[in-house]
Amino acid sequence: MIRSVVRGVGAETPRRIMRNEDFVGLVDTSDEWITQRTGIRQRHIASDDETTASLGEAAARKALAAAGLTPADIDLIVLATSTPNNTFPATAVEIQKHLGMEHGFAFDVQAVCTGFVYALTTADLYLRGGKAKRALVIGSETFSRILDWTDRTTCVLFGDGAGAVVLEAQEGEGGVADRGILTSSLRSDGSHKEKLFVDGGPSTSGTVGKLRMEGKEVFKHAVAMITDVVEAALGDAGVTAEGIDWFVPHQANKRIIDASARKLGIAEEKVVITVDRHGNTSAASVPLALATAVADGRIKQGDLVLLEAMGGGFTWGAALVRW
Ligand code: UT7
């Protein structure tokens, strides 16, 4: 059976770093509040010349280099983003052009913070269905552009960045020992829209809008939704939480990550945390964390890696990958 195997991973963050202390004077907050409530210490913020397309392209080029491949080897790009360069065309197509690709096809997937898990699942299905041989799956966001910088309950939480993986269709045996994406589980429920949304859009206000969130309400649902999809994915693959080598969760809040890991029975030392340095980068958070743990030598070939995310919609999802 065909498996979508990760050949390489890459990441890119904007040049500018904004530390918690830098918010003092902008809004009524403190380093102590942000650190204690979220685990965030700093985030990267895009400058005018840095966009979702440019960050995504840079991450994609690094993933290709890690895979020992070139854009000529890729025939599909799936970009997860909620902050596209333009309403249309898809930012994935812009990245395709910047990579010099005149072949294959590219499109965006929009599932907010769960975007990367949705994009990975989508690319996996194209590869396993024989519609493509190698895919770039990118999560890239510039949430700083949709933040209300006067709202302390949201502006301190988010950051900008991009991460990417190269997937390749390879023959597997069909068991959990195979390399590649073993399974994934996706969910959504639109009844929670008002808890996390952007108050604008082409078909309503005709504006881009700003992010609005009832943080406490999102928090209330997060752990249950995360553990629900993770347990579905583990059950589908026939593996237990103890069998996981690395847990790479969406990086929104360290308290949510800790509570989810505890509820799932995943040991603390297996949890990859990058929220301290990146903040919540929405669809970029999981691939940024993956790139971090691969670069520092934690995630190695053959390891069983569990990914999960939860966000606006609500959307939530998990994927199990043998590296
Ligand atoms: O990625 C998509 C999913 N998003 C998430 O997962 C976010 C989920 N939610 C959260 O992470 C947390 O709910 C927050 C970090 C957003 C908030 O933490 P909390 O412990 O739920 O705090 P809270 O909303 O209950 O606020 C506690 C207090 C409030 O003041 P009062 O009403 O107790 O006087 C807030 O006004 O903290 C106040 N507050 C702040 N104080 C200083 C809110 N934001 C700030 C701030 N600085 N930046």
Side-chain angles (χ1 to χ4, degrees):
M1 98 179 253
I2 303 279
R3 293 289 195 190
S4 305
V5 174
V6 178
R7 286 269 315 247
V9 54
E12 180 77 0
T13 45
R15 295 183 296 275
R16 180 178 162 221
I17 291 175
M18 190 169 179
R19 297 188 172 77
N20 290 352
E21 305 81 52
D22 300 329
F23 282 93
V24 178
L26 275 183
V27 287
D28 181 15
T29 191
S30 64
D31 173 39
E32 191 192 6
W33 190 95
I34 302 169
T35 307
Q36 283 181 1
R37 300 281 177 144
T38 70
I40 298 167
R41 294 186 178 277
Q42 63 168 54
R43 71 289 289 140
H44 292 254
I45 300 292
S47 302
D48 289 348
D49 63 330
E50 294 170 313
T51 67
T52 294
S54 73
L55 295 169
E57 178 198 344
R61 286 189 184 280
K62 289 182 188 172
L64 284 168
L69 297 169
T70 71
D73 300 312
I74 300 296
D75 44 13
L76 166 64
I77 300 174
V78 186
L79 169 70
T81 190
S82 300
T83 46
N85 275 36
N86 296 86
T87 300
F88 78 78
T91 302
V93 178
E94 195 165 336
I95 292 174
Q96 180 191 24
K97 180 193 80 179
H98 289 308
L99 290 174
M101 285 171 61
E102 289 172 2
H103 63 281
F105 61 111
F107 59 91
D108 290 357
V109 161
Q110 211 272 54
V112 202
C113 296
T114 321
F116 186 76
V117 182
Y118 271 62
L120 200 70
T121 303
T122 305
D124 178 41
L125 291 170
Y126 277 92
L127 261 52
R128 288 197 286 127
K131 294 286 180 201
K133 175 81 179 125
R134 292 192 199 89
L136 264 169
V137 182
I138 308 168
S140 184
E141 301 276 21
T142 45
F143 260 48
S144 63
R145 306 251 157 85
I146 55 164
L147 294 176
D148 175 350
W149 286 93
T150 65
D151 176 9
R152 70 173 183 173
T153 69
T154 53
C155 73
V156 303
L157 304 175
F158 295 89
D160 302 332
V165 299
V166 175
L167 293 180
E168 180 176 86
Q170 293 184 6
E171 263 322 308
E173 300 292 322
V176 290
D178 284 352
R179 288 188 67 201
I181 299 170
L182 301 180
T183 190
S184 65
S185 176
L186 303 180
R187 290 293 317 278
S188 66
D189 179 353
S191 66
H192 298 284
K193 177 185 172 184
E194 304 301 324
K195 298 184 181 88
L196 177 50
F197 70 109
V198 169
D199 62 2
S203 188
T204 50
S205 61
T207 64
V208 173
K210 297 289 180 208
L211 181 148
R212 306 292 170 202
M213 179 167 75
E214 294 171 33
K216 218 179 187 50
E217 287 300 310
V218 180
F219 199 120
K220 252 191 241 170
H221 292 274
V223 177
M225 287 179 162
I226 289 163
T227 51
D228 167 55
V229 273
V230 165
E231 278 162 1
L234 293 177
D236 186 45
V239 293
T240 62
E242 295 88 74
I244 300 300
D245 294 303
W246 298 107
F247 180 43
V248 185
H250 173 48
Q251 309 284 324
N253 186 321
K254 184 154 188 306
R255 287 154 60 211
I256 295 175
I257 296 172
D258 290 346
S260 304
R262 213 175 308 123
K263 196 168 166 202
L264 288 163
I266 297 172
E268 207 180 325
E269 58 273 15
K270 293 181 174 178
V271 184
V272 176
I273 307 270
T274 52
V275 69
D276 53 332
R277 62 187 102 160
H278 297 148
N280 182 347
T281 57
S282 186
S285 97
V286 168
L288 271 172
L290 276 175
T292 302
V294 168
D296 66 23
R298 275 180 287 177
I299 297 179
K300 291 182 285 297
Q301 189 169 320
D303 285 352
L304 193 55
V305 182
L306 172 64
L307 319 175
E308 59 82 355
M310 181 267 173
F314 290 154
T315 54
W316 62 110
L320 201 55
V321 185
R322 174 81 60 192
W323 211 256

